[in-house]
Amino acid sequence: MRWEELDQQPCSLSRTLAVIGDRWTLLVLRDCFLGVRRFDAFEKRLGVTRHLLADRLKKLVEHGVLYKQPYQQRPLREEYRLTDKGLALHPVIMSLVSWGDTYMADERGAPIEHIHKACGQRMKPVMVCSECAEPVGARDIEARPAAAFGEDAQRLVAG
């Protein structure tokens, strides 16, 4: 499978990686969730070249993850905002952050605390079943090929 063909695969993870699967894009999304909106602010925080940043932002806009909103007319200046599609990536980013807090933090611990506004407590993301609300982990889920994808999906499921 070639990197530039990921978006054509019958696999939701491959299709997702085609849009958000590189380190700079994930860091742009992290910053979006931390309230960064302007090109210069992304550039300063990330230390990435203007060309690379422009490419990643353009891709996120083209795929409907971000949209541009003018904040100044003369000269035209735009900021980047998360769409509903972009906001739906929050659990993904939070899961990666939680994994990093658990397995990649140094002796000082997690660099950022995430506080649930409703109860005021520090929180960690938990995956739950959409039907019964029970917490689920890797060993609690069985993957089955969807009938609509036939053999294409069969090769994705081990076993």
Side-chain angles (χ1 to χ4, degrees), residues 102-119:
T102 301
Y103 297 107
M104 303 302 292
D106 63 20
E107 65 279 349
R108 295 173 291 177
I112 298 174
E113 292 182 337
H114 295 90
I115 308 300
H116 183 219
K117 289 180 181 179
C119 71

Side-chain angles (χ1 to χ4, degrees), residues 34-86:
L34 292 173
V36 177
R37 294 190 176 123
R38 297 186 180 173
F39 188 95
D40 291 342
F42 286 114
E43 183 181 30
K44 182 178 179 182
R45 287 174 58 93
L46 298 173
V48 64
T49 66
R50 293 180 71 78
H51 173 75
L52 187 64
L53 178 58
D55 179 64
R56 296 317 187 267
L57 289 167
K58 180 181 176 188
K59 187 174 196 175
L60 290 169
V61 169
E62 286 173 352
H63 285 275
V65 175
L66 298 177
Y67 69 96
K68 294 194 285 189
Q69 179 174 0
Y71 66 89
Q72 177 180 310
Q73 292 301 320
R74 294 188 182 171
L76 179 63
R77 301 256 191 247
E78 298 172 311
E79 60 186 15
Y80 295 87
R81 301 265 184 150
L82 290 157
T83 63
D84 287 343
K85 187 176 182 179

Side-chain angles (χ1 to χ4, degrees), residues 95 125-142:
S95 291
V126 177
M127 183 184 290
V128 298
C129 173
S130 61
E131 303 307 309
C132 70
E134 288 292 318
V136 293
R139 292 186 175 108
D140 302 318
I141 299 172
E142 176 185 347

